[in-house]
Amino acid sequence: MQITKERVAAIHYTLTDNDGKILDSSAGKDPLYYLHGAHNLIPGMEEGLEGKVKGDKFDIKVSPEKGYGVRDEAAVQQVPMSAFGDNQVQVGMQFRAGNQGEFIVTVTEVSGEMVTVDGNHPLAGVELNFNVEVMEVREATNDEIMHGHAHGPGHSH
Ligand code: ZN
């Protein structure tokens, strides 16, 4: 059975950047279950997985445009330390921002009383190298199609 729309696939994956640094991996955990064609994964992953079958092992190279987007330098801002209240602000910390807390910014620099925050996704602008193994492919259930996601092991709402 091939991976295509309205099927659920389980994959093991390791994600590295172009320097070979491991950014994420499912090794040692349950495989990742996802509903194909429902934007559960970044577009470049769905394209690379389309048509694959259980047991396939392969690499997918994903450009930023089909991954987490290109970097937007306008999303990098300097904010006074006082804006963070009592928080001990450190590089790497993440905060919700925007009127509804709808996006996440990451602290990239603390210099005196000024804090630099970056609203880009941490993987924006990064070419992604996935090594993938397909563990299972099955038809999605009606519930999964209605919900727009897979109900894999450990899934909760
Ligand atoms: Zn659900």
Side-chain angles (χ1 to χ4, degrees), residues 19 33 55 66 70 77 82 95-96 98 103 105 119 124 142 149:
D19 298 326
Y33 283 76
K66 292 193 172 176
V70 295
Q77 293 186 354
S82 58
F95 293 93
R96 290 196 169 277
F103 60 95
V105 298
N142 287 337
H149 56 228

Side-chain angles (χ1 to χ4, degrees), residues 143-144 147-151 155 157:
D143 274 355
E144 288 173 322
H147 291 189
H149 56 228
H151 292 167
H155 176 85
H157 285 91

Side-chain angles (χ1 to χ4, degrees), residues 4-110:
T4 191
K5 198 170 187 301
E6 302 195 337
R7 285 183 181 158
V8 167
I11 59 169
H12 269 304
Y13 66 93
T14 296
L15 167 62
T16 54
D17 64 16
N18 282 347
D19 298 326
K21 182 182 162 205
I22 295 177
L23 303 175
D24 192 13
S25 176
S26 65
K29 297 184 272 190
D30 280 332
L32 172 69
Y33 283 76
Y34 81 100
L35 175 61
H36 195 81
H39 309 294
N40 292 173
L41 303 183
I42 53 175
M45 276 291 270
E46 287 210 328
E47 283 178 22
L49 283 158
E50 176 81 34
K52 301 294 188 187
V53 298
K54 179 179 175 176
D56 280 352
K57 282 176 97 162
F58 50 95
D59 295 315
I60 303 174
K61 192 170 187 74
V62 178
S63 66
E65 290 82 0
K66 292 193 172 176
Y68 293 97
V70 295
R71 282 187 56 80
D72 175 8
E73 292 312 320
V76 178
Q77 293 186 354
Q78 291 211 310
V79 186
M81 183 73 86
S82 58
F84 295 89
D86 293 334
N87 288 301
Q88 291 291 318
V89 179
Q90 290 176 343
V91 171
M93 288 175 82
Q94 294 189 315
F95 293 93
R96 290 196 169 277
N99 293 334
Q100 330 262 315
E102 66 271 37
F103 60 95
I104 290 173
V105 298
T106 306
V107 175
T108 55
E109 194 183 338
V110 179

